């Protein structure tokens, strides 16, 4: 947990409505036990369920989780294929539960590089859970912030070149709306587990005014209680957005 945060006991805590999580530390969790990294990934996927369940009661309406980055292809074929298989199984197994629980599942990232069968499954579960209103769960898969911005800029450039869009119409709001996250609010709070204090290409545009929290806990050990504690602390932070509070 961060220390030295500004706390004002008189001010009522505010909710972190959109929480984003960089789920890190699966590999270390497994190797420290002498197990293959994929065992850690499997355990990590199981933790997602508990965290998703805990969100509505914590006032979280949007949860965005980083599952696979555009840089994660650098890992061994075995690990990449294993991660994709775990992801596919998660979608298959959770589809019913998510729709019953009112969770709307969506994906961000470049899908075109994923297995066509997996792409179909992803589109299927998005359609199936589209009516969910209790929690908006977004999974970032083959996601990289620079890749997302590059794809978006390219699409906007195409529209400008075709005369569909005037250069003056390219505003911050337009760019935001055309990113993969176009339908999502900006994250209020970004949590990274496993003690690493970097952002690894996660939501660089959207996180311009996000609060960050770095937890030492490895993702396979992270649960609802950790989330509740971090979100509770967030309520006492003073967010200024460049302005002056209580001036
Ligand atoms: C996070 O755990 C999962 C993914 C990046 C896919 P890691 O696999 O990065 O675990 P560590 O950081 O090596 O411990
Ligand atoms: C970030 O974790 C990506 C995900 C959690 C999916 P990494 O483990 O890939 O990040 P680095 O390599 O430590 O920066
Ligand atoms: Mg890692």
């Amino acid at each position: 947990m961060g220390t030295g945060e500004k706390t004002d006991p008189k001010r009522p805590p505010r909710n972190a409505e959109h929480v984003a999580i960089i789920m890190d530390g699966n590999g270390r969790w497994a190797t420290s036990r002498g197990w293959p990294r994929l065992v850690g990934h499997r355990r990590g996927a199981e933790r997602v369920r508990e965290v998703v369940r805990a969100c509505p009661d914590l006032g979280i309406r949007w949860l965005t989780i980083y599952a696979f980055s555009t840089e994660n292809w650098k890992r061994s074929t075995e690990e990449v294929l294993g991660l994709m298989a775990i992801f596919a199984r998660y979608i298959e197994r959770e589809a019913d539960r998510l729709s019953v629980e009112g969770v709307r599942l969506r994906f961000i990232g470049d899908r075109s590089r994923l297995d066509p069968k997996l792409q179909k499954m992803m589109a299927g579960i998005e359609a199936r859970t589209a009516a969910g209103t209790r929690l908006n769960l977004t999974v970032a898969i083959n996601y990289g912030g620079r890749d997302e911005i590059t794809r978006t800029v390219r699409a906007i450039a195409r529209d400008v070149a075709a005369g569909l869009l005037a250069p003056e119409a390219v505003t911050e709001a337009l760019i935001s709306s055309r990113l993969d996250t176009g339908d999502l609010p900006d994250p209020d709070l970004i949590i990274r587990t496993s003690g690493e204090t970097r952002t690894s290409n996660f939501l660089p545009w959207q996180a311009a005014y996000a609060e960050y929290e770095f937890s030492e806990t490895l993702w396979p050990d992270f649960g609802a209680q950790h989330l509740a504690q971090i979100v509770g602390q967030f309520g006492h932070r003073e967010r200024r957005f460049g302005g002056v509070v209580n001036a």
Side-chain angles (χ1 to χ4, degrees):
M1 296 297 300
T3 49
E5 272 153 21
K6 270 211 145 187
T7 62
D8 177 359
K10 291 191 293 291
R11 195 167 47 75
R14 274 169 306 203
N15 280 347
E17 289 209 336
H18 183 180
V19 174
I21 307 182
I22 303 171
M23 309 182 291
D24 197 17
N26 295 349
R28 275 163 284 165
W29 183 90
T31 51
S32 70
R33 288 163 172 79
W35 297 338
R37 294 176 57 87
L38 280 174
V39 177
H41 293 314
R42 251 176 249 130
R43 181 63 68 98
E46 285 165 19
R47 302 310 288 183
V48 171
R49 186 179 306 148
E50 179 183 325
V51 167
V52 165
R53 277 240 177 102
C55 284
D57 287 345
L58 293 171
I60 298 167
R61 296 196 49 237
W62 302 80
L63 176 70
T64 301
I65 55 179
Y66 204 3
F68 191 90
S69 78
T70 46
E71 286 71 39
N72 287 146
W73 298 103
K74 292 178 193 162
R75 299 187 179 196
S76 72
T77 308
E78 185 196 1
E79 185 165 350
V80 169
L81 291 179
L83 281 164
M84 291 298 162
I86 290 166
F87 175 64
R89 205 174 322 131
Y90 175 83
I91 296 179
E92 233 164 30
R93 282 202 188 155
E94 297 298 305
D96 286 336
R97 197 195 315 261
L98 293 175
S99 55
V100 168
E101 289 177 358
V103 179
R104 178 171 190 180
L105 178 58
R106 277 178 276 202
F107 303 97
I108 54 171
D110 182 0
R111 305 174 188 212
S112 65
R113 227 185 128 181
L114 304 176
D115 182 334
K117 248 171 52 194
L118 185 57
Q119 291 184 41
K120 227 174 131 189
M121 284 172 67
M122 288 160 64
I125 194 166
E126 281 179 329
R128 229 170 117 190
T129 62
T133 54
R134 256 188 110 221
L135 177 71
N136 287 282
L137 172 62
T138 304
V139 179
I141 174 110
N142 192 24
Y143 176 86
R146 287 184 172 180
D147 176 71
E148 177 192 37
I149 291 169
T150 305
R151 285 186 283 107
T152 301
V153 169
R154 199 178 294 139
I156 292 173
R158 246 184 235 126
D159 285 356
V160 171
L164 298 169
L165 198 64
E168 297 71 33
V170 182
T171 58
E172 287 190 15
L174 177 95
I175 294 170
S176 290
S177 75
R178 297 206 39 179
L179 292 170
D180 296 352
T181 51
D183 294 329
L184 276 60
D186 284 344
D188 299 298
L189 171 65
I190 299 184
I191 299 168
R192 183 170 188 148
T193 60
S194 89
E196 306 292 354
T197 50
R198 55 179 169 269
T199 62
S200 301
N201 210 4
F202 190 44
L203 305 175
W205 171 280
Q206 300 85 341
Y209 269 100
E211 299 284 328
Y212 280 94
E213 191 64 47
F214 298 99
S215 162
E216 291 295 324
T217 307
L218 301 175
W219 177 253
D221 291 327
F222 193 91
Q225 293 205 329
H226 297 88
L227 181 64
Q229 195 199 357
I230 291 171
V231 167
Q233 285 278 330
F234 170 89
H236 295 288
R237 289 185 179 203
E238 183 181 273
R239 300 177 82 195
R240 301 199 191 108
F241 300 100
V244 178
V245 175
N246 297 332

